[in-house]
Amino acid sequence: MDKFYITTAIPYVNAAPHLGHVLEFVQTDVLARYQRLRGRDVALITGADENSLKNVHAAEKKGITVTELCEKNSAVFKQVAEKVGLSFTNFRRTSDKKMHWPGVQNIWALCDKSGDIYKKKYRGLYCVGCEAFYEEDELTEGLCPEHRVAPEAIEEENYFFKLSKYQDTLEKMIESGELQILPETRKNEVLSFIKGGLKDFSISRSVTRAKGWGVPVPNDPKQILYVWFDALGTYITGIGYGTDQKTFERYWPADVHVIGKGILRFHAVYWPAMLLSAGLKLPKTVFVHGYITVEGQKMSKSLGNIVDPVVLTDKYGVDPIRYCLLGEVPTFEDGDFSEKVLMDTNNNELLANLGNLVNRTLVFIKNNFDATIPGGDLNDEDKRFLESQAKLAGEITSELDKMRIKDALHKVMAYSKNANRYFQDNKPWVSVKSDKARASAVIGVLATQVKDLSIMIEPFLPQTSVEIGKQLSIEAGKWSDIGKPLPAGHAIGEPKPLFRKIEPKDVEADKGKAMGKKGAAVSFADLDLEVGQIISAEKHPDAEKLFIEKVMLSDGERQIVSGLAGHYFPEELVGKKVVILKNLAPAKLRGVESQGMLLAAEGHEKAPPKEGGAMEQGAVEVIFCEKSKVGEKVSRKDGKNAPKPVITFDEFKKVKIDVKDFAVMNEGKQLASGSEELRMKNVKEGNVS
């Protein structure tokens, strides 16, 4: 039997999975299920990337061991993968010392044997979020282009891989299509990167910086394998490399790696080069999808719009969510998600089209033909209809062969829509009374159409496919069974509606739970207040009263938009230490994004003019804290904060921070940063915002 090997990316498990992971799971699953229906022996590998510094930091923040964090979060990823129907054959965890470590240490040894690994001291800019070093010219305004934070300057002695050695080979293989990258835009992106000149990259970390967590470098107990060298190896250890050579040789090379656009370089440049060095075959295709936006915004923990797939599937069921993601999100580009779109696609497409066809056909058979498939002679119109449907089935096959998932699904639904039209045009409810033979022929055709749809829909909506098969009382079919008529006299099962209508009130009920928003009231302890230093301040180009400030915080530089232009000159702010609300959801103010809020007090009475008299301060004064250090947290003197990941502006407004006798207070308690109490110079009584 011919084989087909496909993988998802191996996600970090520093936090729970979100809908973006589900998109990748279901896209991968469609391709795997389709190939099984074509009769191929399919292996699908997914898993958990546990050896990253991200996980170490996440565990430290939670006050638990990295092992505990990975055990818990990996189990959640596996649960979500199973819940949304990912038909994986193996879930490989990179912390698995028995099944994973031997393989990745072996590929290291092969690369070393090829003379492609060497050791040197290095200084670079490292983004923990990407687990990658960046050159200065790769940053966007000094920030990581993916996570929008300032990378950390790291200096240490590491092992390096001779990536530059493989520049010409990689360029030729990608240009020729030997290593296919889909879509073409991503192929061009990779070629541009390669032609810019490949540089050797670090493939280990010191045990000290890795906190002792990860796969040890062979023969060097002071070094840990770089997480990407380790995680990419999952694609071979997941099918037995290092532990089961026979299975590995059966499935390798991978036919498709399914990944998100943010990790393209690792899969289309680093990974192939490592395989070339080790003398292993390269994957055939790298399939690159985009990101999910939620109601127009990129989904991320910092924005607080993470969609919880468990809540979503419990509320609406798995197949309506799969359909919405596969049918609404472009296969290779970014796409938007909302519960309203989910409701519309469920009601207007699944329920009104596919569900309607299956139910009306089977109910008609039950009521008029004793629940058995009728048959009869076909006329020319029937034959033309079947020919057109066969042609469309061929187009669906072609789209799936090219991995154009959204286009294929839309054509499956067009196939169903055509069958509904055929039902309507031939009016079997009329002919069954006057010409039962004609009604019998029409319904026989429709019964086969329903059977064919149960096969076509299986890669996309597996639960729905199973339910249609159950109602038809047939075994699961193969792709080659499409078009083969159901035999007359076959007894069907009990017809039942496939989908339920989602009402607007269903979407509104418990609104926000799936979006990671909590209903509990926000308190002062939920705020993430930190001392930052203003690096620059300039007038907003489209708003006279707004400043755009660059502020340095503990995790890098941020952009803040404030309404201080009527109260301060820019030079009065630059260099000053101020209080920033970090976990406020980002928002655009007159077209410019603000990544937090600069706190100031508004006095109950007008403050005196400032020294020099050049600009009257009015009733607004910034909370300055010059004795504090950048990065120090602001809290009440009676306790520490436990900030939420994100809060809205409306939630913040409900937290009362005020000024009493020049002291900044919350619920009668003094606020402080380190040992410095927060106090105003001019505002004696007022509110903070």
Side-chain angles (χ1 to χ4, degrees):
M1 186 186 293
D2 191 15
K3 70 90 181 176
F4 182 81
Y5 177 36
I6 188 168
T7 70
T8 71
I10 311 302
Y12 293 126
V13 294
N14 59 308
H18 53 66
L19 204 62
H21 296 107
V22 172
L23 173 67
E24 182 168 295
F25 288 163
V26 298
Q27 286 182 329
T28 306
D29 189 59
V30 167
L31 301 177
R33 288 179 184 270
Y34 168 66
Q35 294 296 337
R36 288 194 188 98
L37 287 170
R38 296 299 299 269
R40 303 179 79 178
D41 174 18
V42 174
L44 193 170
I45 302 301
T46 187
D49 183 357
E50 300 182 353
N51 295 329
S52 69
L53 195 56
K54 271 185 175 183
N55 295 336
V56 174
H57 290 173
E60 289 175 342
K61 190 173 181 179
K62 289 179 177 292
I64 60 176
T65 66
V66 193
T67 300
E68 289 172 325
L69 177 92
C70 291
E71 287 283 350
K72 178 183 176 182
N73 286 358
S74 293
V76 174
F77 268 87
K78 188 175 183 182
Q79 174 198 6
V80 169
E82 291 170 339
K83 194 175 185 72
V84 301
L86 180 63
S87 54
F88 59 86
T89 52
N90 196 358
F91 186 94
R92 173 67 73 236
R93 296 175 57 190
T94 62
S95 64
D96 191 328
K97 296 181 180 180
K98 180 179 179 182
M99 302 304 293
H100 180 68
W101 288 24
V104 294
Q105 289 179 323
N106 191 56
I107 194 173
W108 174 287
L110 290 173
C111 292
D112 192 25
K113 188 176 180 181
S114 295
D116 292 335
I117 295 177
Y118 62 95
K119 200 173 187 181
K120 75 169 186 177
K121 288 186 178 180
Y122 179 72
R123 186 180 188 280
L125 300 171
Y126 193 73
C127 172
V128 174
C130 293
E131 295 283 5
F133 280 104
Y134 282 96
E135 299 292 331
E136 287 275 6
D137 59 6
E138 293 179 300
L139 302 177
T140 303
E141 297 180 347
L143 305 179
C144 162
E146 182 74 12
H147 294 91
R148 302 295 298 170
V149 296
E152 181 183 2
I154 298 294
E155 185 172 4
E156 64 183 16
E157 188 175 42
N158 293 327
Y159 287 97
F160 275 69
F161 177 80
K162 292 182 180 178
L163 182 64
S164 55
K165 174 180 172 181
Y166 296 94
Q167 175 158 340
D168 292 342
T169 304
L170 287 173
E171 188 175 333
K172 290 175 183 176
M173 296 183 83
I174 293 170
E175 283 185 330
S176 69
E178 185 177 352
L179 173 56
Q180 183 183 34
I181 299 173
L182 296 176
E184 189 78 10
T185 52
R186 300 302 173 195
K187 173 183 176 179
N188 295 336
E189 181 182 326
V190 171
L191 285 172
S192 176
F193 176 74
I194 293 173
K195 290 175 181 179
L198 295 182
K199 299 178 181 178
D200 298 351
F201 70 102
S202 172
I203 57 171
S204 74
R205 305 288 177 259
S206 68
V207 168
T208 301
R209 188 156 68 88
K211 307 290 180 74
W213 181 254
V215 182
V217 167
N219 304 315
D220 191 340
K222 294 183 179 180
Q223 293 278 315
I224 295 290
L225 262 66
Y226 172 40
V227 65
W228 277 105
F229 197 102
D230 162 26
L232 292 165
T234 307
Y235 301 136
I236 53 178
T237 66
I239 50 171
Y241 184 75
T243 57
D244 182 355
Q245 190 65 16
K246 184 177 179 181
T247 300
F248 170 70
E249 291 176 357
R250 166 69 185 144
Y251 290 109
W252 191 256
D255 292 271
V256 186
H257 288 320
V258 179
I259 64 164
K261 63 181 181 179
I263 53 175
L264 175 58
R265 182 190 308 178
F266 301 100
H267 288 80
V269 180
Y270 293 5
W271 177 229
M274 289 158 54
L275 292 169
L276 288 169
S277 176
L280 298 174
K281 294 179 181 178
L282 268 60
K284 297 177 183 178
T285 301
V286 179
F287 171 114
V288 189
H289 62 79
Y291 292 141
I292 289 183
T293 56
V294 177
E295 297 176 357
Q297 288 187 305
K298 178 184 173 183
M299 185 165 54
S300 72
K301 292 187 287 293
S302 62
L303 293 179
N305 60 352
I306 297 295
V307 178
D308 186 335
V310 174
V311 174
L312 208 61
T313 52
D314 286 346
K315 186 175 181 181
Y316 298 112
V318 172
D319 278 3
I321 293 163
R322 285 179 66 118
Y323 182 80
C324 184
L325 292 175
L326 297 168
E328 290 299 310
V329 177
T331 301
F332 298 114
E333 303 297 335
D334 294 353
D336 200 54
F337 173 85
S338 71
E339 289 189 58
K340 184 182 183 303
V341 171
L342 174 63
M343 177 183 72
D344 291 343
T345 55
N346 177 85
N347 296 349
N348 300 333
E349 297 170 35
L350 291 181
L351 183 62
N353 181 357
L354 179 62
N356 180 52
L357 173 69
V358 173
N359 194 249
R360 74 195 298 201
T361 300
L362 299 190
V363 168
F364 198 93
I365 293 171
K366 177 184 177 182
N367 293 342
N368 296 281
F369 295 99
D370 297 323
T372 59
I373 304 293
D377 296 331
L378 305 184
N379 62 24
D380 290 343
E381 181 187 341
D382 299 331
K383 292 174 183 177
R384 283 194 295 271
F385 168 72
L386 290 174
E387 287 172 2
S388 67
Q389 289 290 78
K391 181 182 178 183
L392 185 53
E395 292 175 8
I396 294 165
T397 301
S398 177
E399 298 289 14
L400 284 170
D401 285 341
K402 295 172 184 175
M403 293 181 275
R404 296 202 289 242
I405 295 171
K406 180 179 179 179
D407 293 340
L409 179 53
H410 284 187
K411 289 186 176 181
V412 170
M413 297 305 286
Y415 191 98
S416 176
K417 188 175 182 180
N418 292 345
N420 266 312
R421 188 182 300 114
Y422 173 84
F423 194 121
Q424 205 67 21
D425 290 347
N426 284 277
K427 299 179 174 61
W429 64 91
V430 174
S431 59
V432 75
K433 299 174 183 176
S434 58
D435 186 354
K436 195 160 186 178
R438 178 60 191 151
S440 178
V442 169
I443 292 300
V445 167
L446 286 164
T448 296
Q449 294 287 291
V450 170
K451 181 268 297 179
D452 288 347
L453 279 164
S454 74
I455 299 170
M456 294 177 184
I457 209 72
E458 199 274 344
F460 310 95
L461 311 177
Q463 292 184 3
T464 300
S465 174
V466 169
E467 182 58 29
I468 295 173
K470 182 180 177 181
Q471 293 185 30
L472 281 172
S473 291
I474 59 172
E475 297 293 328
K478 294 293 185 183
W479 203 257
S480 57
D481 293 327
I482 293 172
K484 295 178 181 178
L486 280 173
H490 172 78
I492 67 169
E494 183 66 25
K496 296 178 182 177
L498 292 175
F499 308 102
R500 70 172 182 87
K501 185 177 182 180
I502 299 174
E503 302 288 351
K505 62 181 177 62
D506 297 328
V507 174
E508 292 300 320
D510 303 321
K511 188 175 183 180
K513 280 189 178 179
M515 311 291 277
K517 298 171 185 175
K518 308 297 183 183
V522 172
S523 68
F524 180 82
D526 296 315
L527 308 183
D528 188 0
L529 297 171
E530 184 174 300
V531 175
Q533 188 167 33
I534 299 176
I535 301 169
S536 66
E538 58 185 34
K539 282 282 189 72
H540 191 296
D542 297 317
E544 290 185 2
K545 295 185 178 180
L546 297 181
F547 274 148
I548 301 172
E549 296 112 350
K550 300 290 186 182
V551 182
M552 181 58 68
L553 294 157
S554 62
D555 54 359
E557 186 180 301
R558 287 200 191 188
Q559 178 172 280
I560 305 292
V561 179
S562 73
L564 296 175
H567 307 284
Y568 289 87
F569 289 121
E571 56 268 25
E572 293 177 293
L573 297 174
V574 175
K576 298 292 187 180
K577 294 174 187 173
V578 295
V579 178
I580 300 295
L581 176 60
K582 290 181 65 177
N583 61 340
L584 183 69
K588 285 192 175 180
L589 302 179
R590 299 293 292 271
V592 177
E593 185 176 65
S594 181
Q595 301 165 324
M597 178 189 289
L598 191 159
L599 297 193
E602 181 178 353
H604 291 163
E605 295 182 0
K606 195 171 182 179
K610 300 176 62 156
E611 291 183 7
M615 177 184 286
E616 192 177 63
Q617 181 182 343
V620 173
E621 181 183 358
V622 172
I623 302 174
F624 294 115
C625 34
E626 292 306 306
K627 296 179 183 177
S628 301
K629 296 179 181 178
V630 171
E632 282 191 314
K633 296 297 183 182
V634 174
S635 62
R636 292 195 329 200
K637 294 185 73 174
D638 63 342
K640 294 183 178 180
N641 291 13
K644 288 188 174 184
V646 67
I647 64 170
T648 67
F649 180 69
D650 287 340
E651 288 174 325
F652 170 70
K653 288 196 299 184
K654 295 176 182 177
V655 179
K656 189 177 181 182
I657 304 176
D658 48 23
V659 179
K660 300 288 186 184
D661 197 20
F662 299 105
V664 183
M665 316 281 282
N666 168 250
E667 297 180 353
K669 305 293 184 180
Q670 173 83 55
L671 302 190
S673 170
S675 59
E676 181 180 5
E677 294 182 346
L678 299 190
R679 296 184 62 81
M680 310 305 300
K681 290 184 178 179
N682 296 308
V683 175
K684 183 177 182 180
E685 306 288 334
N687 300 319
V688 172
S689 61

